[in-house]
Amino acid sequence: MTIGWDLLWFIVAVSLLVTVHEYGHYWVARRFGFKVLRFSIGFGKPLFKRVYGEDKTEFVIAAIPLGGYVKMLDEREGPVAPAGLARSFTRKPPWQRILVLLAGPAFNIIFAILVLWGMLWNQGVIQEVRPVVGDVVVASVADRAGLRSGDEVLSID
């Protein structure tokens, strides 16, 4: 049963990281005026699909939860109506396209920092591990060397 739970939590963790990553691409693309056609978590057949916004962006959760993608309007995939050309990925300046591509990893880094900060805030400063001798067995090498339970190791020579 443990393998089933491990697999479930692995899928949850990967899906969360993929969602944060893809949302980074999506958020920056929308800020620069790119037309986003689909925001998908997972690959393959859609299990859940909703259309939102004036751009009619599809939000999809798909069957294979090991990745995701943000599909933007792109002339390389087919003809684009003249009214949509200005919002096409290929018509935007290279610096905007680069920022959209870098946004996914940047959001993952920011997310990791926030999670670690939250863990520290919640748990407080964790005491560091000190090198203290535990139980010393009688007539052992440690006993013959003079070590006693509770001694702190200050240096090794």
Side-chain angles (χ1 to χ4, degrees):
M1 187 64 180
T2 302
I3 293 173
W5 282 108
D6 290 346
L7 182 61
L8 173 71
W9 287 112
F10 172 77
I11 290 170
V12 168
V14 168
S15 297
L16 178 62
L17 292 174
V18 166
T19 302
V20 168
H21 180 91
E22 298 306 331
Y23 185 74
H25 295 305
Y26 172 80
W27 189 81
V28 172
R30 296 286 296 155
R31 294 301 167 265
F32 284 130
F34 289 73
K35 181 169 182 168
V36 178
L37 302 175
R38 179 181 270 192
F39 179 96
S40 178
I41 303 304
F43 300 110
K45 183 179 179 184
L47 301 175
F48 171 83
K49 184 186 340 183
R50 290 289 185 261
V51 177
Y52 293 106
E54 65 182 57
D55 282 343
K56 306 263 190 272
T57 302
E58 285 184 320
F59 290 86
V60 174
I61 296 176
I64 305 170
L66 297 176
Y69 63 93
V70 174
K71 182 178 179 182
M72 293 172 229
L73 185 65
D74 194 338
E75 294 173 77
R76 296 172 294 183
E77 292 187 8
V80 175
L85 286 175
R87 299 185 65 204
S88 172
F89 185 81
T90 50
R91 296 287 176 110
K92 293 290 187 178
W95 68 271
Q96 288 183 354
R97 290 184 274 172
I98 290 169
L99 286 178
V100 168
L101 295 175
L102 291 176
F107 268 53
N108 280 128
I109 291 168
I110 292 167
F111 179 68
I113 291 168
L114 290 174
V115 167
L116 290 172
W117 174 80
M119 289 170 54
L120 180 63
W121 180 72
N122 186 39
Q123 297 292 323
V125 176
I126 298 172
Q127 298 296 319
E128 63 182 69
V129 178
R130 294 177 39 218
V132 176
V133 176
D135 294 332
V136 177
V137 177
V138 177
S140 67
V141 175
D143 184 41
R144 287 192 299 264
L147 293 174
R148 300 291 168 248
S149 294
D151 286 351
E152 184 174 357
V153 178
L154 300 175
S155 66
I156 298 175
D157 186 8

